[in-house]
C-alpha cells in the first residue's frame, strides 16, 4: 500500500471512531479493552495522535514521551479528539516526503512509517469504539488488514521488547485465506520472534482465516478464526503478545 492510501484510511478511520464514540457515550464500557471506557479510549488515541504529529511536524530526531490526556469529558472530549485527529491528518498530508524524524519500526521513510502506523492504530481503536457502541462493526479491507498483520509480526514482535517467547522452540503459522501470498511463519524461541513471509517448513500450529479477522485476533480483539495443530502455541500468543 502507498502512503497516500494509508493517509486516506487514517482520515476515514478517525472520523468513524469519533462517530461511534459519540453514539456510545463516554461512560460506555469497551468490551474489547475491558479496563477502559470510551472516555479512556478517546483520551489514549487523542494523545497518540498528537504525539505522532509532533515527530513529523516538528522533526524530532529522538524519542519523546507522550503527553498527559486532558481532564475533558463528553462533547468537549470528543471535540478535542476530533481536533487532534484532524491536525495529525493535515500534518502528514503537508509533510515533505523526505521529512526526517524519529520512528521505531523499519520503513521506507519516516513519513511512510508514521502514516502507516497511525492508520493501523486508529483502525484498531475504531473497532474498540464500535464494540462499545454495539451493533455490527464496520469492515476492514483485506489488503489493509494483511498489511497490519505484517506490521505486527515483522515489526512490533521483531523488537527486543516482545514477550512472545518460548524456552522450547515452536513454530506458529499465520495464514490469511482471502489475500494471495499472505502467510507468515513465526519462529518462537527464548529470543524475540523471527517471522518470515512464507509457509516453508513444518509448523506446530496454524491460525487461519480472513485477513480482517486475523488482524483483530492478533491484536487480541477477536478469537482466532481457525486453529489447527497444537493450540497451546496460539494460546501463548494470546497470553503474551500485548503491545
Amino acid at each position: 500500500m502507498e502512503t497516500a492510501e494509508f493517509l486516506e484510511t487514517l482520515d476515514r478511520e478517525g472520523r468513524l471512531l469519533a462517530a461511534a464514540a459519540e453514539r456510545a457515550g463516554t461512560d460506555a464500557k469497551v468490551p474489547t479493552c475491558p479496563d477502559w471506557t470510551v472516555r479512556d479510549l478517546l483520551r489514549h488515541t487523542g494523545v497518540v495522535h498528537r504525539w505522532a504529529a509532533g515527530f513529523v511536524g516538528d522533526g524530532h530526531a529522538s524519542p519523546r514521551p507522550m503527553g498527559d490526556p486532558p481532564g475533558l469529558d463528553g462533547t468537549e472530549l470528543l471535540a478535542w479528539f476530533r481536533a487532534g485527529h484532524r491536525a495529525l491528518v493535515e500534518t502528514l498530508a503537508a509533510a515533505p516526503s523526505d521529512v526526517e524524524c524519529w520512528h521505531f519500526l523499519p520503513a521506507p521513510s519516516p513519513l511512510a512509517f508514521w502514516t502507516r502506523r497511525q492508520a493501523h492504530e486508529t483502525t484498531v481503536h475504531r473497532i474498540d469504539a464500535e464494540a462499545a457502541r454495539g451493533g455490527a462493526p464496520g469492515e476492514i479491507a483485506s489488503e489493509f488488514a494483511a498489511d497490519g498483520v505484517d506490521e505486527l509480526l515483522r515489526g512490533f514482535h521483531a523488537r527486543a521488547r516482545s514477550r512472545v517467547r518460548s524456552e522450547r522452540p515452536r513454530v506458529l503459522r499465520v495464514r490469511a485465506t482471502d489475500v494471495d501470498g499472505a502467510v507468515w511463519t513465526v519462529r518462537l524461541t527464548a529470543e524475540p520472534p523471527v517471522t518470515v513471509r512464507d509457509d516453508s517448513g513444518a509448523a506446530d500450529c496454524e491460525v487461519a482465516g480472513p485477513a480482517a479477522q486475523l488482524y483483530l485476533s492478533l491484536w487480541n480483539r477477536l478469537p482466532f478464526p481457525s486453529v489447527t495443530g497444537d493450540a497451546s502455541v496460539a494460546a501463548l500468543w494470546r497470553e503474551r503478545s500485548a503491545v
Side-chain angles (χ1 to χ4, degrees):
M1 291 180 62
E2 299 295 328
T3 298
E5 296 176 275
F6 287 119
L7 186 62
E8 291 176 4
T9 300
L10 169 61
D11 185 12
R12 180 181 65 252
E13 294 293 321
R15 289 185 280 108
L16 290 171
L17 192 164
E22 187 169 30
R23 181 84 174 270
T26 55
D27 287 332
K29 297 290 187 181
V30 180
T32 46
C33 299
D35 294 334
W36 276 6
T37 64
V38 168
R39 180 183 303 107
D40 300 313
L41 176 64
L42 289 171
R43 289 174 177 174
H44 166 79
T45 314
V47 164
V48 171
H49 284 170
R50 286 164 170 80
W51 177 70
F55 286 108
V56 177
D58 299 330
H60 296 305
S62 59
R64 295 168 63 88
M66 294 188 196
D68 294 325
L72 301 174
D73 203 352
T75 57
E76 290 182 337
L77 178 58
L78 278 157
W80 173 84
F81 171 82
R82 285 182 166 118
H85 169 251
R86 177 49 42 202
L88 172 61
V89 171
E90 292 176 352
T91 296
L92 294 170
S97 60
D98 60 352
V99 64
E100 292 292 334
C101 64
W102 178 80
H103 58 294
F104 60 87
L105 296 178
S109 70
L111 182 61
F113 165 79
W114 283 110
T115 309
R116 179 199 197 194
R117 173 83 291 276
Q118 291 309 299
H120 287 297
E121 175 86 13
T122 306
T123 299
V124 171
H125 288 317
R126 183 263 291 178
I127 292 294
D128 293 333
E130 291 179 342
R133 178 203 63 196
E139 294 184 358
I140 300 174
S142 296
E143 292 288 347
F144 177 77
D147 179 84
V149 171
D150 196 76
E151 183 202 45
L152 184 62
L153 297 180
R154 297 204 295 163
F156 276 102
H157 286 288
R159 301 185 298 169
R161 67 179 60 186
S162 174
R163 297 184 302 110
V164 186
R165 304 188 185 208
S166 174
E167 291 300 322
R168 174 186 168 200
R170 312 307 303 262
V171 178
L172 173 67
R173 183 151 293 136
V174 177
R175 187 185 305 274
T177 55
D178 57 345
V179 178
D180 289 344
V183 57
W184 298 262
T185 299
V186 186
R187 301 189 182 278
L188 304 176
T189 66
E191 300 299 317
V194 174
T195 301
V196 293
R197 191 159 178 169
D198 67 22
D199 60 355
S200 61
D204 297 291
C205 176
E206 178 169 310
V207 295
Q213 291 184 42
L214 281 179
Y215 175 56
L216 295 176
S217 299
L218 290 164
W219 277 108
N220 293 320
R221 264 55 181 191
L222 291 175
F224 286 118
S226 169
V227 178
T228 55
D230 185 350
S232 70
V233 181
L236 175 70
W237 179 276
R238 303 289 295 190
E239 293 164 4
R240 301 188 185 178
S241 64
V243 174

